[in-house]
């Protein structure tokens, strides 16, 4: 198997370092609960596996060559990002309302299980499922991830071996690098939880990330 590993690793690292929807989902999930952050990371990488398998059987090629299919996936992904943003903004406002009403609200104000998770109490099954779902759909509904396996990744494949096997090898390497990178980000972001336990700071964080989700979603929908 002959592949350009050095060039490929450089492109992959740059792709992960540049913030995007996956980065925001993992970061925000990690500040709610480390388990949710790791789940969001695994969800995003599972979405990459779907893109890799789809490219192998030609589904991504069809989507890339069909403007209707591509635009449908793009709009679905944009709508999902806007949905996450609206949820975050509404959660922040709900927390502020509860605080003004004299209730003690700590951590992420999405629901009861999220509050327990953000303080480290209670089971983590709910946050894990929520994080994985958000990470998975954010990635799998991103047509740019599919195009990566069709346009960028094949550039690092050389003759002398099966192109499909080489693509699977590079794709798997991409997924594993992402897991390491996201888990490192989760470890760093988890240290912000003490700071974000302060209601006012949490409120601003929820609003900021919520509007960022909405802005990214609108940007994705408006992109040609």
């Amino acid at each position: 198997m002959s592949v350009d590993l050095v060039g490929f690793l450089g492109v992959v690292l740059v792709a992960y370092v540049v913030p995007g929807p996956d980065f925001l989902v993992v970061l925000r999930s990690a500040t709610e609960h480390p388990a949710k952050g790791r789940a969001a990371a695994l969800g995003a990488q599972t979405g990459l596996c779907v893109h890799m398998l789809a490219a192998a059987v030609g589904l991504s090629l069809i989507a890339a060559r069909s403007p209707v299919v591509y635009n449908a996936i793009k709009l679905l992904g944009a709508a999902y990002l806007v949905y996450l943003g609206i949820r975050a903004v509404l959660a922040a406002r709900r927390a502020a309302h509860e605080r003004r009403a004299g209730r003690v609200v700590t951590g992420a104000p999405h629901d009861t299980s999220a509050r327990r998770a953000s303080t480290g109490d209670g089971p983590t099954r709910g946050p894990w499922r929520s994080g994985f779902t958000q990470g998975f759909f954010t990635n799998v509904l991103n047509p740019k991830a599919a195009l990566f396996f069709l346009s960028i990744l094949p550039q690092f494949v050389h003759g002398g071996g099966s192109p499909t096997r080489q693509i699977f090898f590079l794709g798997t390497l991409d997924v594993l690098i992402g897991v390491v990178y996201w888990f490192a980000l989760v470890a760093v972001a988890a240290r912000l939880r003490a700071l974000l336990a302060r209601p006012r700071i949490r409120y601003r964080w929820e609003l900021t990330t919520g509007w960022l989700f909405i802005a990214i979603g609108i940007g994705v929908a408006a992109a040609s």
Side-chain angles (χ1 to χ4, degrees), residues 5 30 48 53 72 77 87 93-94 99 115 126 134 142 144 154 156 167 172 177 183 185 195-196 204 215:
L5 278 180
L48 275 185
L53 293 174
R87 280 190 59 189
R93 292 180 177 176
R94 184 169 60 249
R99 187 169 64 250
R115 294 189 193 111
Q134 291 181 18
N142 183 1
K144 292 183 179 179
F156 302 97
I167 288 176
T172 302
I177 291 174
F183 275 38
L185 177 65
L195 178 64
L196 292 174
R204 293 169 184 169

Side-chain angles (χ1 to χ4, degrees), residues 148-218:
F148 174 83
F149 286 93
L150 291 172
S151 59
I152 298 178
L153 191 147
Q155 297 179 25
F156 302 97
V157 173
H158 298 293
S162 169
T164 301
R165 289 181 58 190
Q166 293 181 61
I167 288 176
F168 268 116
F169 171 74
L170 292 176
T172 302
L173 187 59
D174 181 4
V175 171
L176 294 177
I177 291 174
V179 170
V180 174
Y181 175 77
W182 294 134
F183 275 38
L185 177 65
V186 169
V188 173
R191 296 181 177 273
L192 298 175
R193 294 179 67 220
L195 178 64
L196 292 174
R198 302 175 184 176
R200 290 189 177 182
I201 295 178
R202 185 80 204 186
Y203 172 74
R204 293 169 184 169
W205 169 256
E206 294 283 350
L207 279 184
T208 300
T209 55
W211 285 113
L212 279 175
F213 272 125
I214 294 173
I216 293 175
I218 293 174

Side-chain angles (χ1 to χ4, degrees), residues 70-80 141 143 220-222:
Y70 178 85
N71 288 331
I73 296 174
K74 181 179 71 173
L75 291 176
L76 282 173
Y80 186 70
L141 293 176
V220 169

Side-chain angles (χ1 to χ4, degrees), residues 5-128:
L5 278 180
V6 176
F8 175 74
L9 290 176
V11 170
V12 168
L13 290 175
V14 170
Y16 278 114
V17 170
V18 176
D22 289 347
F23 181 92
L24 187 55
V25 168
V26 174
L27 178 64
R28 188 172 183 279
S29 297
T31 58
E32 293 182 16
H33 195 287
K36 185 175 182 179
R38 289 189 290 269
L42 293 176
Q45 298 312 97
T46 302
L48 275 185
C49 291
V50 172
H51 288 301
M52 180 171 58
L53 293 174
V57 299
L59 295 180
S60 293
L61 183 61
I62 296 174
R65 292 184 176 180
S66 172
V68 175
V69 175
Y70 178 85
N71 288 331
I73 296 174
K74 181 179 71 173
L75 291 176
L76 282 173
Y80 186 70
L81 291 174
V82 172
Y83 163 74
L84 291 179
I86 292 174
R87 280 190 59 189
V89 171
L90 292 178
R93 292 180 177 176
R94 184 169 60 249
H97 175 73
E98 292 176 344
R99 187 169 64 250
R100 285 194 298 267
R103 300 177 186 176
V104 178
V105 180
T106 58
H110 294 302
D111 48 40
T112 303
S113 62
R115 294 189 193 111
R116 289 198 305 265
S118 63
T119 58
D121 300 326
T124 60
R125 180 178 300 178
W128 199 98

